[in-house]
Amino acid sequence: MTTIAHSELDVFPLCLGGSVFGWTVDERTSFGVLDAYAAAGGNFIDTADSYSQWAPGNTGGESETIIGNWLAARGRRDRFVIATKVGRLNGLSGLTEKVVRQAVEDSLRRLRTDYIDLYYTHADDPGTPLEETLAALDALIAAGKVRHIGASNISGPRLAESLETAKRTGTAPYVAVQPPYNLMEREPFEGGIAPVCEREGVSCVPYFALAQGFLTGKYRAGGPAVPSVRSTAAGAYAETPRGREVLRALDTIAAEHGTAPAAVALAWLKAQPHVVAPLASSRTPEQLAELIPGASLELSPAEVRSLDVASRTTAADTRPQLG
Ligand SMILES: NC(=O)c1ccc[n+]([C@@H]2O[C@H](COP(=O)([O-])OP(=O)(O)OC[C@H]3O[C@@H](n4cnc5c(N)ncnc54)[C@H](OP(=O)(O)O)[C@@H]3O)[C@@H](O)[C@H]2O)c1
Protein backbone atom coordinates (compact mmCIF):
# COMPACT_ATOMS: atom_id res chain seq x y z
CA MET A 1 0.00 0.00 0.00
CA THR A 2 1.02 3.57 -0.55
CA THR A 3 -0.39 6.81 0.78
CA ILE A 4 -1.70 9.78 -1.19
CA ALA A 5 0.18 12.85 0.02
CA HIS A 6 -1.55 15.15 2.52
CA SER A 7 -4.25 12.53 3.12
CA GLU A 8 -4.89 9.35 5.06
CA LEU A 9 -5.87 7.48 1.89
CA ASP A 10 -3.87 4.22 1.75
CA VAL A 11 -4.13 2.77 -1.72
CA PHE A 12 -3.02 -0.31 -3.63
CA PRO A 13 -0.29 0.77 -6.06
CA LEU A 14 -2.49 -0.01 -9.09
CA CYS A 15 -5.73 1.92 -9.45
CA LEU A 16 -8.48 0.10 -11.35
CA GLY A 17 -10.04 2.14 -14.17
CA GLY A 18 -13.82 2.04 -14.37
CA SER A 19 -14.45 3.65 -17.77
CA VAL A 20 -14.93 0.22 -19.37
CA PHE A 21 -17.77 -0.76 -17.01
CA GLY A 22 -21.00 -0.31 -18.95
CA TRP A 23 -19.02 0.44 -22.13
CA THR A 24 -16.92 -2.50 -23.33
CA VAL A 25 -17.87 -4.64 -20.31
CA ASP A 26 -21.35 -5.66 -19.14
CA GLU A 27 -22.31 -5.67 -15.46
CA ARG A 28 -21.67 -9.39 -14.92
CA THR A 29 -18.11 -9.26 -16.31
CA SER A 30 -17.49 -5.95 -14.52
CA PHE A 31 -18.27 -7.72 -11.24
CA GLY A 32 -15.75 -10.42 -12.27
CA VAL A 33 -13.03 -7.81 -12.86
CA LEU A 34 -13.83 -6.00 -9.59
CA ASP A 35 -13.86 -9.29 -7.65
CA ALA A 36 -10.50 -10.30 -9.13
CA TYR A 37 -9.01 -6.88 -8.31
CA ALA A 38 -10.27 -7.02 -4.72
CA ALA A 39 -9.03 -10.62 -4.33
CA ALA A 40 -5.55 -9.46 -5.39
CA GLY A 41 -5.59 -6.87 -2.59
CA GLY A 42 -6.78 -3.95 -4.73
CA ASN A 43 -8.76 -1.18 -3.05
CA PHE A 44 -8.49 1.89 -5.33
CA ILE A 45 -11.24 2.25 -7.96
CA ASP A 46 -11.57 5.14 -10.42
CA THR A 47 -14.69 6.29 -12.23
CA ALA A 48 -16.48 9.51 -13.35
CA ASP A 49 -20.07 10.65 -13.61
CA SER A 50 -19.61 10.92 -17.40
CA TYR A 51 -18.55 7.26 -17.91
CA SER A 52 -19.56 6.01 -20.38
CA GLN A 53 -21.74 8.61 -22.08
CA TRP A 54 -19.93 8.12 -25.42
CA ALA A 55 -21.16 4.55 -25.83
CA PRO A 56 -24.26 4.03 -27.99
CA GLY A 57 -27.41 4.06 -25.86
CA ASN A 58 -25.60 5.41 -22.77
CA THR A 59 -26.17 8.78 -21.09
CA GLY A 60 -23.38 8.68 -18.46
CA GLY A 61 -23.46 7.26 -14.95
CA GLU A 62 -23.31 3.65 -16.15
CA SER A 63 -19.88 2.98 -14.63
CA GLU A 64 -20.77 4.53 -11.25
CA THR A 65 -23.99 2.50 -11.20
CA ILE A 66 -22.16 -0.79 -11.77
CA ILE A 67 -19.52 0.03 -9.15
CA GLY A 68 -22.29 1.05 -6.72
CA ASN A 69 -24.16 -2.20 -7.31
CA TRP A 70 -20.96 -4.16 -6.79
CA LEU A 71 -20.11 -2.31 -3.56
CA ALA A 72 -23.63 -2.95 -2.26
CA ALA A 73 -23.52 -6.63 -3.24
CA ARG A 74 -20.11 -7.28 -1.68
CA GLY A 75 -20.38 -4.98 1.38
CA ARG A 76 -17.29 -3.55 3.07
CA ARG A 77 -17.53 -0.09 1.49
CA ASP A 78 -14.90 1.01 4.01
CA ARG A 79 -12.31 -1.34 2.45
CA PHE A 80 -12.27 0.67 -0.79
CA VAL A 81 -11.00 4.06 -1.86
CA ILE A 82 -13.52 5.28 -4.42
CA ALA A 83 -12.53 8.10 -6.77
CA THR A 84 -14.96 9.79 -9.12
CA LYS A 85 -15.08 13.02 -11.09
CA VAL A 86 -17.24 16.04 -11.83
CA GLY A 87 -17.30 18.38 -14.78
CA ARG A 88 -17.63 16.48 -18.04
CA LEU A 89 -21.11 14.96 -17.95
CA ASN A 90 -23.30 16.19 -20.80
CA GLY A 91 -25.83 18.59 -19.31
CA LEU A 92 -23.82 18.92 -16.09
CA SER A 93 -20.44 20.12 -17.27
CA GLY A 94 -18.03 22.73 -15.95
CA LEU A 95 -17.13 23.48 -12.36
CA THR A 96 -19.63 26.05 -11.14
CA GLU A 97 -20.95 25.74 -7.61
CA LYS A 98 -24.34 24.68 -9.00
CA VAL A 99 -22.84 21.86 -11.08
CA VAL A 100 -20.64 20.59 -8.26
CA ARG A 101 -23.53 20.59 -5.76
CA GLN A 102 -25.82 18.67 -8.13
CA ALA A 103 -23.20 16.28 -9.54
CA VAL A 104 -22.02 15.02 -6.17
CA GLU A 105 -25.55 14.04 -5.13
CA ASP A 106 -26.01 12.12 -8.38
CA SER A 107 -22.67 10.33 -8.00
CA LEU A 108 -23.38 9.41 -4.36
CA ARG A 109 -26.77 7.98 -5.36
CA ARG A 110 -25.35 5.91 -8.22
CA LEU A 111 -22.38 4.72 -6.15
CA ARG A 112 -24.79 3.78 -3.33
CA THR A 113 -22.58 5.39 -0.73
CA ASP A 114 -22.67 8.44 1.49
CA TYR A 115 -19.09 9.57 0.83
CA ILE A 116 -16.55 9.76 -1.98
CA ASP A 117 -12.94 9.24 -0.95
CA LEU A 118 -11.32 11.26 -3.74
CA TYR A 119 -13.36 13.69 -5.84
CA TYR A 120 -11.58 14.98 -8.94
CA THR A 121 -12.44 17.93 -11.12
CA HIS A 122 -12.50 16.12 -14.47
CA ALA A 123 -11.07 19.03 -16.48
CA ASP A 124 -10.07 22.61 -15.85
CA ASP A 125 -12.88 25.16 -16.29
CA PRO A 126 -11.31 28.54 -17.04
CA GLY A 127 -14.80 30.09 -17.25
CA THR A 128 -15.52 29.60 -13.53
CA PRO A 129 -13.49 31.44 -10.86
CA LEU A 130 -11.21 29.06 -8.96
CA GLU A 131 -12.55 30.54 -5.72
CA GLU A 132 -16.08 29.37 -6.61
CA THR A 133 -15.06 25.81 -7.52
CA LEU A 134 -12.78 25.38 -4.51
CA ALA A 135 -15.38 26.76 -2.10
CA ALA A 136 -17.99 24.36 -3.52
CA LEU A 137 -15.64 21.40 -3.13
CA ASP A 138 -14.64 22.54 0.37
CA ALA A 139 -18.30 22.62 1.38
CA LEU A 140 -18.62 18.97 0.32
CA ILE A 141 -15.68 18.05 2.54
CA ALA A 142 -17.19 19.97 5.45
CA ALA A 143 -20.47 18.10 4.91
CA GLY A 144 -18.66 14.72 4.97
CA LYS A 145 -19.68 13.90 1.39
CA VAL A 146 -16.11 13.98 0.08
CA ARG A 147 -12.88 13.16 1.92
CA HIS A 148 -10.27 14.69 -0.42
CA ILE A 149 -10.16 16.46 -3.77
CA GLY A 150 -7.98 16.07 -6.85
CA ALA A 151 -7.67 17.62 -10.30
CA SER A 152 -7.58 15.85 -13.65
CA ASN A 153 -6.56 17.32 -17.00
CA ILE A 154 -5.11 20.50 -15.51
CA SER A 155 -1.95 22.32 -16.57
CA GLY A 156 0.96 22.94 -14.21
CA PRO A 157 0.35 26.71 -14.00
CA ARG A 158 -3.37 26.22 -13.30
CA LEU A 159 -2.61 23.60 -10.66
CA ALA A 160 -0.21 26.05 -9.00
CA GLU A 161 -2.84 28.80 -9.18
CA SER A 162 -5.46 26.47 -7.66
CA LEU A 163 -3.16 25.55 -4.78
CA GLU A 164 -2.35 29.19 -4.13
CA THR A 165 -6.04 30.07 -4.21
CA ALA A 166 -6.84 27.29 -1.73
CA LYS A 167 -4.13 28.60 0.63
CA ARG A 168 -5.33 32.18 0.30
CA THR A 169 -9.00 31.36 0.83
CA GLY A 170 -8.47 28.67 3.47
CA THR A 171 -10.15 25.92 1.45
CA ALA A 172 -9.02 22.31 1.01
CA PRO A 173 -6.21 21.83 -1.54
CA TYR A 174 -6.01 19.30 -4.36
CA VAL A 175 -4.00 16.35 -3.01
CA ALA A 176 -3.77 14.41 -6.28
CA VAL A 177 -3.60 15.02 -10.01
CA GLN A 178 -4.76 12.66 -12.74
CA PRO A 179 -3.00 13.43 -16.04
CA PRO A 180 -2.43 11.16 -19.04
CA TYR A 181 1.06 9.70 -18.51
CA ASN A 182 2.79 6.59 -19.81
CA LEU A 183 5.93 5.49 -21.68
CA MET A 184 4.54 6.92 -24.93
CA GLU A 185 3.19 10.22 -23.54
CA ARG A 186 5.52 11.85 -21.05
CA GLU A 187 5.59 15.56 -21.78
CA PRO A 188 2.24 16.81 -20.38
CA PHE A 189 3.07 15.49 -16.92
CA GLU A 190 6.84 15.69 -16.78
CA GLY A 191 7.10 19.04 -18.56
CA GLY A 192 4.37 20.98 -16.79
CA ILE A 193 2.72 19.32 -13.80
CA ALA A 194 5.57 17.40 -12.13
CA PRO A 195 7.46 20.53 -10.99
CA VAL A 196 4.32 21.69 -9.15
CA CYS A 197 3.88 18.22 -7.59
CA GLU A 198 7.51 18.43 -6.45
CA ARG A 199 7.10 21.87 -4.89
CA GLU A 200 3.69 21.29 -3.28
CA GLY A 201 3.80 17.55 -2.51
CA VAL A 202 0.89 16.54 -4.75
CA SER A 203 0.47 12.86 -5.71
CA CYS A 204 0.00 11.66 -9.28
CA VAL A 205 -2.42 8.94 -10.43
CA PRO A 206 -1.60 8.67 -14.14
CA TYR A 207 -4.32 7.56 -16.56
CA PHE A 208 -3.85 5.75 -19.89
CA ALA A 209 -1.13 3.87 -18.00
CA LEU A 210 -1.16 1.24 -20.78
CA ALA A 211 -1.46 3.80 -23.61
CA GLN A 212 -4.97 2.41 -24.18
CA GLY A 213 -3.65 -1.14 -24.54
CA PHE A 214 -0.54 -0.49 -26.68
CA LEU A 215 1.86 -1.22 -23.79
CA THR A 216 0.42 -4.73 -23.39
CA GLY A 217 2.29 -5.56 -26.61
CA LYS A 218 -0.79 -6.69 -28.50
CA TYR A 219 -0.33 -4.08 -31.24
CA ARG A 220 2.73 -4.75 -33.42
CA ALA A 221 3.90 -3.06 -36.62
CA GLY A 222 2.70 -5.23 -39.48
CA GLY A 223 0.96 -7.54 -36.97
CA PRO A 224 -2.59 -8.85 -37.14
CA ALA A 225 -5.50 -6.45 -36.55
CA VAL A 226 -6.57 -6.26 -32.90
CA PRO A 227 -10.31 -6.50 -32.27
CA SER A 228 -10.74 -3.60 -29.83
CA VAL A 229 -12.63 -0.31 -29.78
CA ARG A 230 -9.28 1.21 -28.75
CA SER A 231 -7.37 -0.14 -31.76
CA THR A 232 -7.21 3.10 -33.78
CA ALA A 233 -5.62 5.15 -30.99
CA ALA A 234 -3.53 2.37 -29.45
CA GLY A 235 -2.53 0.77 -32.75
CA ALA A 236 -1.13 4.04 -34.12
CA TYR A 237 1.78 3.87 -31.64
CA ALA A 238 2.92 0.57 -33.17
CA GLU A 239 3.81 2.29 -36.42
CA THR A 240 6.23 4.76 -34.79
CA PRO A 241 9.96 4.21 -34.19
CA ARG A 242 9.42 5.05 -30.54
CA GLY A 243 6.62 2.50 -30.26
CA ARG A 244 8.86 -0.21 -31.66
CA GLU A 245 11.75 0.67 -29.31
CA VAL A 246 9.50 0.79 -26.27
CA LEU A 247 8.03 -2.62 -27.08
CA ARG A 248 11.50 -4.02 -27.66
CA ALA A 249 12.62 -2.80 -24.20
CA LEU A 250 9.40 -3.98 -22.53
CA ASP A 251 9.72 -7.44 -24.13
CA THR A 252 13.32 -7.82 -22.95
CA ILE A 253 12.64 -6.78 -19.36
CA ALA A 254 9.39 -8.75 -19.17
CA ALA A 255 11.21 -11.92 -20.31
CA GLU A 256 13.91 -11.39 -17.64
CA HIS A 257 11.25 -11.12 -14.92
CA GLY A 258 8.96 -13.82 -16.35
CA THR A 259 6.10 -11.33 -16.50
CA ALA A 260 3.99 -9.49 -19.07
CA PRO A 261 5.10 -6.28 -20.88
CA ALA A 262 2.04 -4.55 -19.35
CA ALA A 263 3.32 -5.25 -15.82
CA VAL A 264 6.70 -3.75 -16.73
CA ALA A 265 5.04 -0.64 -18.20
CA LEU A 266 3.10 -0.16 -14.94
CA ALA A 267 6.23 -0.77 -12.83
CA TRP A 268 8.09 1.90 -14.83
CA LEU A 269 5.32 4.40 -14.10
CA LYS A 270 5.30 3.44 -10.43
CA ALA A 271 9.03 4.19 -10.31
CA GLN A 272 8.54 7.79 -11.52
CA PRO A 273 8.59 10.66 -9.02
CA HIS A 274 5.20 11.56 -7.48
CA VAL A 275 3.36 8.55 -8.98
CA VAL A 276 1.44 6.72 -6.25
CA ALA A 277 -0.63 4.36 -8.39
CA PRO A 278 -0.80 3.95 -12.17
CA LEU A 279 -4.41 3.86 -13.37
CA ALA A 280 -5.39 1.17 -15.89
CA SER A 281 -8.49 -0.68 -16.93
CA SER A 282 -9.18 -4.31 -17.85
CA ARG A 283 -12.02 -5.81 -19.79
CA THR A 284 -11.67 -9.29 -18.25
CA PRO A 285 -10.20 -10.92 -15.13
CA GLU A 286 -7.62 -12.56 -17.44
CA GLN A 287 -6.40 -9.17 -18.68
CA LEU A 288 -6.24 -7.93 -15.09
CA ALA A 289 -4.12 -10.94 -14.09
CA GLU A 290 -1.35 -9.60 -16.39
CA LEU A 291 -1.48 -6.17 -14.74
CA ILE A 292 -1.52 -7.11 -11.05
CA PRO A 293 2.20 -8.11 -10.91
CA GLY A 294 3.00 -4.54 -12.01
CA ALA A 295 1.87 -3.34 -8.58
CA SER A 296 4.72 -5.15 -6.84
CA LEU A 297 7.38 -5.42 -9.57
CA GLU A 298 10.52 -3.40 -8.73
CA LEU A 299 12.67 -2.51 -11.72
CA SER A 300 16.42 -2.02 -11.36
CA PRO A 301 17.84 1.45 -12.11
CA ALA A 302 19.33 0.01 -15.33
CA GLU A 303 15.93 -1.30 -16.43
CA VAL A 304 14.25 2.04 -15.73
CA ARG A 305 17.05 3.73 -17.71
CA SER A 306 16.65 1.45 -20.70
CA LEU A 307 12.90 2.17 -20.80
CA ASP A 308 13.67 5.89 -20.48
CA VAL A 309 16.03 5.73 -23.45
CA ALA A 310 13.52 3.76 -25.56
CA SER A 311 10.71 6.16 -24.72
CA ARG A 312 12.79 9.11 -25.92
CA THR A 313 13.47 7.53 -29.31
CA THR A 314 12.93 9.86 -32.24
CA ALA A 315 12.61 8.99 -35.93
CA ALA A 316 16.20 10.15 -36.40
CA ASP A 317 17.96 7.87 -33.92
CA THR A 318 16.05 4.60 -34.25
CA ARG A 319 18.02 1.48 -35.10
CA PRO A 320 17.27 -0.44 -38.30
CA GLN A 321 14.49 -2.98 -37.80
CA LEU A 322 15.77 -6.55 -37.98
CA GLY A 323 12.32 -8.11 -38.18
N1 LIG B 1 -9.23 11.71 -16.27
C1 LIG B 1 -9.46 11.44 -17.53
O1 LIG B 1 -9.76 12.33 -18.35
C2 LIG B 1 -9.35 10.02 -18.00
C3 LIG B 1 -9.30 9.73 -19.37
C4 LIG B 1 -9.20 8.40 -19.75
C5 LIG B 1 -9.15 7.40 -18.78
N2 LIG B 1 -9.23 7.71 -17.46
C6 LIG B 1 -9.23 6.66 -16.41
O2 LIG B 1 -8.10 5.84 -16.61
C7 LIG B 1 -8.52 4.48 -16.74
C8 LIG B 1 -7.54 3.78 -17.64
O3 LIG B 1 -7.57 4.35 -18.94
P1 LIG B 1 -7.99 3.51 -20.19
O4 LIG B 1 -8.78 2.35 -19.78
O5 LIG B 1 -8.63 4.45 -21.14
O6 LIG B 1 -6.59 3.11 -20.85
P2 LIG B 1 -5.46 2.06 -20.42
O7 LIG B 1 -5.61 1.64 -19.02
O8 LIG B 1 -4.19 2.62 -20.88
O9 LIG B 1 -5.82 0.82 -21.38
C9 LIG B 1 -6.73 -0.14 -20.94
C10 LIG B 1 -7.14 -1.06 -22.07
O10 LIG B 1 -6.06 -1.89 -22.49
C11 LIG B 1 -6.55 -3.18 -22.82
N3 LIG B 1 -5.91 -4.14 -21.91
C12 LIG B 1 -5.76 -4.06 -20.55
N4 LIG B 1 -5.10 -5.14 -20.08
C13 LIG B 1 -4.82 -5.92 -21.15
C14 LIG B 1 -4.16 -7.16 -21.31
N5 LIG B 1 -3.64 -7.81 -20.26
N6 LIG B 1 -4.06 -7.69 -22.55
C15 LIG B 1 -4.56 -7.04 -23.63
N7 LIG B 1 -5.21 -5.85 -23.54
C16 LIG B 1 -5.34 -5.30 -22.32
C17 LIG B 1 -8.07 -3.14 -22.61
O11 LIG B 1 -8.70 -2.72 -23.81
P3 LIG B 1 -9.29 -3.70 -24.93
O12 LIG B 1 -9.29 -5.09 -24.42
O13 LIG B 1 -10.65 -3.18 -25.21
O14 LIG B 1 -8.36 -3.54 -26.10
C18 LIG B 1 -8.21 -2.04 -21.58
O15 LIG B 1 -9.48 -1.45 -21.56
C19 LIG B 1 -9.96 4.57 -17.25
O16 LIG B 1 -10.71 3.41 -17.00
C20 LIG B 1 -10.46 5.75 -16.46
O17 LIG B 1 -10.80 5.35 -15.14
C21 LIG B 1 -9.31 8.99 -17.06
Side-chain angles (χ1 to χ4, degrees):
M1 291 292 192
T2 168
T3 304
I4 292 177
H6 304 301
S7 87
E8 67 296 344
L9 300 177
D10 282 329
V11 296
F12 189 69
L14 171 62
C15 182
L16 183 66
S19 63
V20 289
F21 302 148
W23 173 29
T24 54
V25 193
D26 64 18
E27 177 153 323
R28 197 175 63 84
T29 310
S30 302
F31 274 34
V33 171
L34 286 158
D35 283 338
Y37 176 70
N43 75 335
F44 190 17
I45 299 169
D46 183 84
T47 184
D49 59 358
S50 55
Y51 298 168
S52 304
Q53 64 187 357
W54 54 85
N58 283 4
T59 54
E62 293 81 11
S63 169
E64 287 184 337
T65 299
I66 288 175
I67 292 167
N69 290 346
W70 178 79
L71 284 170
R74 300 295 183 261
R76 295 294 319 270
R77 162 69 182 89
D78 61 327
R79 230 207 89 188
F80 297 96
V81 173
I82 304 294
T84 192
K85 313 183 193 81
V86 52
R88 275 191 169 168
L89 179 65
N90 291 337
L92 207 54
S93 63
L95 298 172
T96 60
E97 193 225 346
K98 189 163 175 252
V99 163
V100 169
R101 250 193 306 125
Q102 178 64 52
V104 78
E105 296 304 330
D106 295 346
S107 287
L108 289 169
R109 189 185 64 255
R110 286 188 291 258
L111 287 164
R112 300 173 68 172
T113 182
D114 50 9
Y115 67 96
I116 291 160
D117 297 283
L118 181 57
Y119 201 37
Y120 292 101
T121 50
H122 205 155
D124 192 14
D125 173 8
T128 301
L130 288 172
E131 289 82 353
E132 176 177 339
T133 302
L134 291 167
L137 293 168
D138 195 61
L140 301 183
I141 295 176
K145 296 178 184 190
V146 163
R147 290 173 75 192
H148 294 280
I149 57 171
S152 185
N153 301 308
I154 192 168
S155 69
R158 283 286 284 178
L159 175 63
E161 203 185 331
S162 304
L163 294 169
E164 277 158 30
T165 304
K167 269 184 210 152
R168 177 169 51 75
T169 58
T171 52
Y174 291 131
V175 298
V177 282
Q178 188 182 121
Y181 183 34
N182 58 56
L183 275 163
M184 301 301 296
E185 305 287 348
R186 300 181 59 168
E187 186 49 30
F189 177 68
E190 294 180 0
I193 307 167
V196 185
C197 291
E198 174 70 29
R199 203 171 62 233
E200 305 286 344
V202 176
S203 294
C204 175
V205 182
Y207 76 81
F208 284 163
L210 300 173
Q212 301 189 63
F214 173 69
L215 297 171
T216 66
K218 68 180 175 180
Y219 300 91
R220 302 277 171 170
V226 175
S228 166
V229 296
R230 339 286 298 264
S231 63
T232 305
Y237 291 122
E239 305 303 327
T240 65
R242 186 148 50 96
R244 286 194 290 272
E245 289 303 311
V246 165
L247 286 189
R248 196 200 303 267
L250 285 175
D251 287 342
T252 304
I253 297 168
E256 278 161 10
H257 286 274
T259 193
V264 177
L266 297 174
W268 176 85
L269 259 181
K270 195 166 53 74
Q272 302 311 306
H274 319 299
V275 171
V276 288
L279 165 54
S281 73
S282 299
R283 230 175 2 84
T284 63
E286 292 72 28
Q287 284 189 346
L288 181 68
E290 284 198 351
L291 311 190
I292 292 293
S296 50
L297 181 61
E298 297 284 343
L299 300 178
S300 69
E303 289 168 335
V304 171
R305 255 193 323 275
S306 90
L307 287 162
D308 277 335
V309 169
S311 75
R312 296 213 160 90
T313 303
T314 64
D317 61 16
T318 189
R319 287 180 277 156
Q321 295 304 301
L322 302 175

